[in-house]
């Protein structure tokens, strides 16, 4: 069997399937198509990281034990069975059970009919008419349809029925038709993932993942409604320099300044609009977001936002006034008494500002439950010709971020034309630990933690992650991501770059 399996895998790799071939027979309302080609052969750090991520996805649908049982029946290791099945194309199609469409999952394996029958016999399948089969000892059923072997967990799976119908109707709408135009159809990708988003924002995205020895490279193309990342000015090239962030930094990104900096909920009437105008007049060209650990053990993360100022003195006064106006606007929105005004005009601009009014932190950081706090802390860092206004959900994290900005070297000139509007980095292991804490906290309060657990499993072995993003057209996003797995390089922290020379 070893020689035959090797020969089969070589033949299949030579005729590799096109990217997301299974998406052409998936209905338009599926939520994900995850394609693996070539069986993830190889022992590089990149391949091990890809394999770990895929195991997390397989476990998330409860298929891990079944896959192991199938491998034992075929007298193969789980890795060898994956190599045999995914030599050309193994695609997991997933649809959530909502909207009456009938949720479920289907594993689509592209292989010739004879090879499909040989594989089914090796795991003890029972064949019946019309290409139907069942494997009772694994609790799976399916159909052989042309050059596809479709496997599911129940005979009456509506998703399986829909895929068989689309495969037989040349003009039937399919998921591939909904994908963003211009996504990179990269035949060298080991894994390609297509996702439909219908919660925080509407749209679709495609992720092409390839192994490059010690590294894993990801290209993403998305078409999203509502421009969830905001509209940015095009004045700078944001750069993250791996030199001076706090060593415990979990993630960081820098971007050009958004056109709308102040949260919309803070602007309820004319007084707030005047305060927003004062903030706009004093802001610089860039902002950065830094994610770190909580100092008090509450919540999964601490967050800080650093806003560049063109005038530290005027910017501080404008932001202080904005805090008072925002607190009043949120109180009126909730029908609460107006908070007392705090006279900050006598405070040095470098002094810490503390805000515990209800809603301030939530609206500043997007109501992220993982922060575990309702407090907001702020401080200004003056520089020659400007400064930074830093907001944080944790006062200890505020102090750490401020100390790094104060110690940072002089700015370096940027010679290239602006193309990437956002750049960032993350420590995969630290991010996974925070996601685990977030998942436990959500479970403790009766919430669904499955998505967080899957994300933690995917990034746990990713090591250092760097990325950059651009928006070539409104609502269209393109990103490049590079993962350097933990056993290839230790994460050494990264920093906001070009904060400006110190006075």
């Amino acid at each position: 069997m070893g020689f035959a399996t090797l020969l089969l895998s070589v033949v299949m790799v030579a005729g590799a399937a096109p990217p997301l071939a299974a998406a052409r027979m998936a209905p338009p309302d599926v939520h994900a198509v995850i394609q693996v080609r070539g069986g993830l052969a190889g022992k590089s750090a990149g391949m091990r990281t890809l394999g770990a991520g895929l195991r997390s996805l397989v476990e998330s649908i409860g298929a891990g034990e079944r896959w192991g049982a199938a491998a034992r029946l075929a007298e193969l290791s789980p890795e060898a069975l994956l190599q045999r099945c995914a030599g050309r194309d193994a695609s997991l199609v997933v649809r959530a059970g909502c909207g009456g469409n009938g949720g479920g999952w289907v594993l689509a394996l592209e292989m010739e009919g004879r090879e499909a029958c040989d594989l089914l016999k090796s795991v003890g399948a029972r064949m019946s008419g019309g290409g139907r089969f069942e494997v009772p000892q694994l609790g799976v059923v399916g159909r052989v349809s042309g050059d596809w072997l479709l496997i599911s967990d129940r005979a009456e799976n509506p998703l399986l029925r829909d895929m068989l119908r689309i495969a037989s109707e040349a003009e039937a709408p399919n998921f591939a038709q909904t994908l963003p135009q211009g996504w990179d159809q990269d035949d060298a990708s080991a894994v390609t993932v297509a996702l439909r988003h219908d919660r925080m924002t509407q749209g679709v995205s495609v992720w092409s993942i390839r192994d490059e020895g010690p590294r894993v490279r990801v290209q993403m193309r998305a078409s999203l409604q509502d421009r969830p990342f905001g509209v940015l000015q095009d004045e700078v090239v944001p750069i993250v320099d791996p030199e001076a962030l706090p060593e415990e930094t979990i993630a960081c990104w820098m971007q050009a300044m958004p056109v709308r900096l102040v949260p919309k909920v803070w602007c309820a009437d004319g007084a707030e609009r005047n305060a927003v105008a004062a903030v706009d007049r004093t802001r610089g060209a860039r902002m950065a977001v830094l994610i770190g650990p909580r100092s008090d053990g509450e919540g999964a993360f601490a967050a800080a936002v650093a806003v560049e100022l063109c005038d530290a003195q005027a910017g501080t006064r404008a932001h202080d006034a904005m805090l008072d106006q925002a607190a009043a606007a949120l109180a009126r929105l909730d029908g609460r008494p107006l908070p007392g005004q705090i006279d900050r005009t006598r405070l040095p601009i470098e002094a810490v500002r503390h805000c515990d009014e209800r809603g301030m932190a939530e609206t500043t950081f997007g109501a992220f439950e993982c922060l575990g706090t309702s407090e907001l802390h702020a401080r200004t860092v003056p520089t020659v010709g400007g400064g930074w206004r830093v907001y944080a959900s944790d006062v200890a994290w505020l102090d750490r971020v401020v100390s790094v900005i104060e110690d940072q070297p002089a700015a370096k000139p940027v010679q290239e034309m602006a193309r990437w509007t956002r750049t960032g980095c993350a420590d995969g292991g630290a991010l996974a630990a925070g996601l685990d804490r977030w998942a436990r906290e959500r479970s403790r309060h009766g919430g669904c933690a499955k998505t967080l657990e899957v994300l933690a499993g995917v990034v746990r072995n990713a090591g250092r992650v760097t990325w950059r993003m651009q928006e070539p057209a409104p609502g269209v996003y393109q990103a490049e991501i590079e993962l350097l797995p933990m056993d290839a390089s230790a994460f050494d922290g990264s920093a906001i770059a070009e904060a400006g020379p110190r006075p």
Side-chain angles (χ1 to χ4, degrees):
M1 177 179 287
F3 177 78
T5 301
L6 177 62
L7 178 62
L8 176 62
S9 65
V10 170
V11 170
M12 286 183 169
V13 171
L20 295 178
R24 296 178 175 87
M25 62 178 176
D29 60 352
V30 300
H31 289 83
V33 175
I34 304 163
Q35 179 190 47
V36 181
R37 292 180 297 165
L40 296 184
K43 297 182 179 180
S44 69
M47 277 300 181
R48 290 196 296 274
T49 299
L50 284 176
L54 283 173
R55 281 193 294 274
S56 295
L57 291 171
V58 170
E59 293 292 343
S60 73
I61 63 168
E65 293 184 3
R66 291 174 181 170
W67 187 264
R72 289 190 295 272
L73 286 170
E75 298 181 348
L76 296 169
S77 69
E79 292 77 16
L81 181 60
L82 176 62
Q83 178 66 44
R84 181 173 182 181
C85 292
R88 287 187 69 185
D89 183 342
S91 294
L92 180 65
V93 182
V94 180
R95 181 167 66 184
C98 57
N101 57 13
W105 60 266
V106 171
L107 180 63
L109 307 176
E110 188 183 34
M111 57 179 64
E112 295 181 0
R114 186 183 64 179
E115 301 297 345
C117 289
D118 288 345
L119 176 63
L120 291 171
K121 289 178 181 177
S122 72
V123 295
R126 298 175 183 173
M127 305 298 296
S128 58
R132 296 178 178 85
F133 67 85
E134 61 175 332
V135 189
Q137 56 269 51
L138 298 181
V140 297
V141 299
R143 290 277 294 272
V144 177
S145 177
D147 288 338
W148 290 94
L149 175 62
L150 305 179
I151 302 171
S152 183
D153 58 346
R154 62 188 192 277
E156 299 304 320
N157 184 349
L159 177 58
L160 176 60
R161 183 184 63 237
D162 289 346
M163 291 181 66
L164 289 168
R165 174 183 55 80
I166 293 171
S168 65
E169 299 177 5
E171 302 300 323
N174 60 67
F175 185 54
Q177 296 167 346
T178 71
L179 300 181
Q181 294 184 353
W183 69 274
D184 186 13
Q185 299 191 22
D186 184 358
D187 286 332
S189 295
V191 179
T192 307
V193 179
L195 300 174
R196 182 165 66 87
H197 310 273
D198 58 5
R199 290 189 178 183
M200 295 182 67
T201 186
Q202 304 288 322
V204 288
S205 63
V206 177
W207 306 71
S208 301
I209 309 168
R210 67 161 69 188
D211 169 55
E212 296 184 350
R215 292 176 173 81
V216 174
R217 191 171 300 277
V218 183
Q219 291 184 314
M220 184 276 289
R221 181 88 172 184
S223 177
L224 305 175
Q225 298 181 20
D226 302 325
R227 305 181 79 172
F229 299 102
V231 183
L232 302 184
Q233 302 175 9
D234 297 323
E235 299 177 7
V236 297
V237 179
I239 292 179
V240 173
D241 183 359
E243 292 297 332
L245 272 190
E247 60 184 1
E248 66 271 34
T249 297
I250 295 172
C252 167
W253 73 88
M254 177 173 277
Q255 65 180 50
M257 189 70 72
V259 170
R260 176 183 288 276
L261 174 62
V262 178
K264 190 174 182 179
V265 69
W266 287 9
C267 313
D269 56 33
E272 283 75 26
R273 285 193 290 272
N274 291 336
V276 170
V279 169
D280 287 342
R281 285 193 298 270
T282 60
R283 66 183 181 178
R286 297 163 299 174
M287 65 175 287
V289 178
L290 302 95
I291 307 299
R294 291 278 299 176
S295 62
D296 55 9
E298 298 293 330
F301 304 107
V305 176
V307 178
E308 192 172 22
L309 303 174
C310 61
D311 183 324
Q313 186 78 28
T316 299
R317 300 310 174 205
H319 278 261
D320 284 350
M322 182 73 257
L323 288 176
D324 291 336
Q325 297 286 0
L330 292 171
R332 286 193 294 269
L333 191 63
D334 291 343
R336 292 182 281 114
L338 296 182
Q341 295 294 306
I342 303 173
D343 184 8
R344 300 187 180 92
T345 59
R346 297 181 182 275
L347 290 175
I349 62 173
E350 299 94 334
V352 178
R353 275 71 167 158
H354 302 284
C355 305
D356 58 3
E357 288 87 353
R358 188 189 309 168
M360 292 291 287
E362 290 86 342
T363 53
T364 301
F365 299 109
F368 285 158
E369 62 186 273
C370 56
L371 300 180
T373 182
S374 60
E375 296 181 355
L376 180 65
H377 312 276
R379 185 177 167 189
T380 298
V381 184
T383 67
V384 172
W388 293 85
R389 176 72 166 201
V390 184
Y391 292 92
S393 62
D394 180 280
V395 70
W397 186 237
L398 174 72
D399 291 341
R400 289 289 288 128
V401 172
V402 165
S403 67
V404 166
I405 297 177
E406 289 175 334
D407 293 340
Q408 201 154 260
K412 300 176 183 177
V414 177
Q415 303 295 335
E416 62 180 305
M417 294 293 291
R419 177 192 175 200
W420 304 102
T421 55
R422 302 167 180 86
T423 62
C425 59
D427 176 352
L431 183 58
L435 291 170
D436 284 335
R437 290 193 298 273
W438 189 359
R440 288 194 297 269
E441 187 69 15
R442 181 175 284 184
S443 295
R444 194 162 63 90
H445 290 89
C448 178
K450 178 60 69 177
T451 300
L452 297 175
E453 293 169 353
V454 172
L455 287 174
V458 170
V459 304
R460 193 175 313 281
N461 298 309
R464 189 183 72 214
V465 182
T466 58
W467 57 270
R468 53 187 185 174
M469 180 186 295
Q470 67 173 156
E471 187 177 2
V476 177
Y477 297 92
Q478 183 173 317
E480 291 183 359
I481 307 165
E482 183 180 274
L483 291 75
L484 190 61
M486 292 178 65
D487 56 356
S489 173
F491 182 77
D492 57 4
S494 296
I496 308 173
E498 305 175 289
R502 305 280 76 77

